[in-house]
Amino acid sequence: MQPGDDLLSAAARAGIRVPAACRNGVCEICEARLLAGDVVNTRNQQTIPVNGRVMLCRSQALGDLELEMTAVMAAGKIEARKFQANVVDVRSISHDVYRVELQLPRRRELTFHAGQYLSVNLPDADPCYFSIASSPSAQNIELHIQASPEWVSAQKVIDALVPGSSVTLELPHGKACLAATPERPLLLVAAGTGFAQMKSLVDYLRETGFDQPVTLFWGVRRQQDMYLRSLAQQWESDWAPFTFVPVVGDSEDNDWAGHHDQLVRAVLASGVEWGNVEVHASGSPAMVYTLMDALVEEGMPESAFFSDVLEYAPRA
C-alpha cells in the first residue's frame, strides 16, 4: 500500500479486484466488513469499529487489517462491456507497429486484470481483438497494433483511429491474466506484438512490488521487429527481479514456423526449474502449443501454463 491510498486503490495494487462505481461511498458496491485492525473513514475521519461496514473507496488503513469481502472478482469473472473511448494518440513505433492511446471518459467504471484484451468494434466490420498493453491502474489504455496493407483488418482499425475521434471498445476479455500477484517465479514468452500483453503484466507487477524472478523471452524475425526493445532493456536495468532475453532470427529467409522453434529452444535452454514456475505465453497457436508441450515434457505442470490461445483456439 502506498501512503494516502484508499483501500480500494490498495486492493487494486495487490491484484484484488472489487466491484466499484461511484468511488465516493454512496453506491456501497465496494463494501467490506472489518474483522480486525484499524480503519478510518476519510469522509468524516472517524474510526470504523470491528465488525463495522467499510466502504473501500472512502477508507484508509491505520495498520494491518483483516477484511471480509464477498464480491472479489477473479480472472474471467469481470463481465465484458461496451465503452466509448476517445482516441488520444496514434503513432508509428516501428515499420509496421503503431502505439495507440485511448481514453475512457468514465475510466472509474472500467475494471480489468493485467494481461486481458479488448475488441475494437468498427461499424460494418467484425470486432478486432488486441491485447491491452497498459496496467489496470493506468489512466489511459495502450494498444500495440501491427498493421500493413497485408493485414487488412488491423490496417482498417488504424485508418479509423484518428486522434480526436471516438471508437467503441468491448472489454475485458481473456482468462490468461493476473487476477492477483503470483506466488512463484514468472516466465513470460512473447512472439511479435505478443509483447503488448507482457507489458501489461510487467507494469502491474512492478506497481505491486513483486520480488520473485521474472524472465521475458521476446521472439521476433528481425531486429527491427523488436519495436520496444529499449523499454525491455530499461526494465532489466532498473528492476532487480527482471531478466530480458531477446530472440532474433536475423534472417529474411527464416520462416516464422522455424523461428517459433528457435524461440522454444531458447526457453528450454534457460535452466529454469520447471516444477516451480508460472508461464504466460502470447503468440500464434503453433508457437503456444509447441512451447506448452515442450515444457510439460520437461516437468512443468500444465496448470501452470497460461495463454489466451488455450481459450480461443483449443485443441480437439
Side-chain angles (χ1 to χ4, degrees):
M1 179 182 297
Q2 296 187 356
D5 269 355
D6 58 63
L7 291 178
L8 186 62
S9 299
R13 291 183 187 280
I16 303 170
R17 297 295 164 196
V18 180
C22 71
R23 295 190 68 94
N24 61 19
V26 174
C27 72
E28 301 187 352
I29 294 176
C30 64
E31 179 183 348
R33 186 165 67 94
L34 179 63
L35 300 182
D38 294 317
V39 176
V40 63
N41 183 316
T42 58
R43 183 187 295 278
N44 56 26
Q45 300 305 310
Q46 293 183 356
T47 301
I48 298 172
V50 173
N51 290 320
R53 298 167 69 227
V54 177
M55 302 306 150
L56 301 187
C57 67
R58 282 294 185 176
S59 302
Q60 287 183 341
L62 301 179
D64 292 338
L65 301 178
E66 185 177 350
L67 298 171
E68 180 181 75
M69 293 177 283
T70 60
V72 175
M73 295 179 288
K77 298 300 183 182
I78 306 174
E79 183 178 355
R81 299 167 52 196
K82 284 186 168 64
F83 296 87
Q84 284 297 118
N86 298 323
V87 181
V88 176
D89 187 47
V90 179
R91 67 180 61 190
S92 173
I93 55 175
S94 80
H95 62 288
D96 64 352
V97 176
Y98 295 82
R99 179 189 178 275
V100 175
E101 184 179 354
L102 304 171
Q103 180 185 57
L104 272 65
R106 301 169 71 177
R107 176 64 177 86
R108 290 179 175 179
E109 295 183 3
L110 171 64
T111 300
F112 66 92
H113 295 306
Q116 291 192 293
Y117 61 95
L118 57 72
S119 69
V120 175
N121 298 355
L122 300 179
D124 303 319
D126 291 334
C128 288
Y129 295 91
F130 304 101
S131 291
I132 301 171
S134 41
S135 80
S137 66
Q139 185 61 38
N140 291 346
I141 292 175
E142 179 181 343
L143 307 177
H144 300 164
I145 298 180
Q146 185 175 23
S148 68
E150 293 76 31
W151 297 72
V152 177
S153 59
Q155 186 63 57
K156 186 174 182 179
V157 170
I158 288 297
D159 292 341
L161 296 181
V162 178
S165 66
S166 64
V167 64
T168 301
L169 309 177
E170 184 176 274
L171 69 161
H173 296 289
K175 298 179 181 178
C177 55
L178 292 179
T181 51
E183 297 180 353
R184 293 178 288 183
L186 278 183
L187 185 74
L188 311 178
V189 184
T193 51
F195 175 80
Q197 182 182 27
M198 303 311 159
K199 179 180 178 298
S200 177
L201 298 179
V202 169
D203 285 351
Y204 162 72
L205 291 168
R206 296 185 70 184
E207 291 170 1
T208 57
F210 187 71
D211 59 2
Q212 295 268 18
V214 179
T215 303
L216 169 64
F217 286 81
W218 187 7
V220 295
R221 283 189 181 125
R222 294 162 293 178
Q223 290 282 355
Q224 58 264 42
D225 295 331
M226 198 163 284
Y227 55 90
L228 284 178
R229 181 171 184 152
S230 61
L231 176 61
Q233 291 170 331
Q234 185 62 42
W235 290 338
E236 187 171 44
S237 173
D238 61 23
W239 187 32
F242 184 78
T243 301
F244 173 47
V245 184
V247 182
V248 183
D250 270 334
S251 172
E252 291 283 354
D253 299 324
N254 181 26
D255 66 41
W256 199 221
H259 183 55
H260 282 167
D261 290 338
Q262 180 186 3
L263 177 58
V264 172
R265 288 196 301 271
V267 173
L268 289 174
S270 63
V272 169
E273 183 183 344
W274 298 115
N276 184 40
V277 69
E278 182 172 311
V279 180
H280 289 255
S282 184
S284 72
M287 184 278 282
V288 167
Y289 283 117
T290 299
L291 176 66
M292 184 177 72
D293 291 344
L295 296 184
V296 169
E297 187 173 338
E298 290 294 318
M300 179 201 71
E302 193 168 327
S303 60
F305 187 91
F306 299 88
S307 175
D308 291 319
V309 166
L310 307 184
E311 183 180 355
Y312 71 75
R315 291 194 289 202

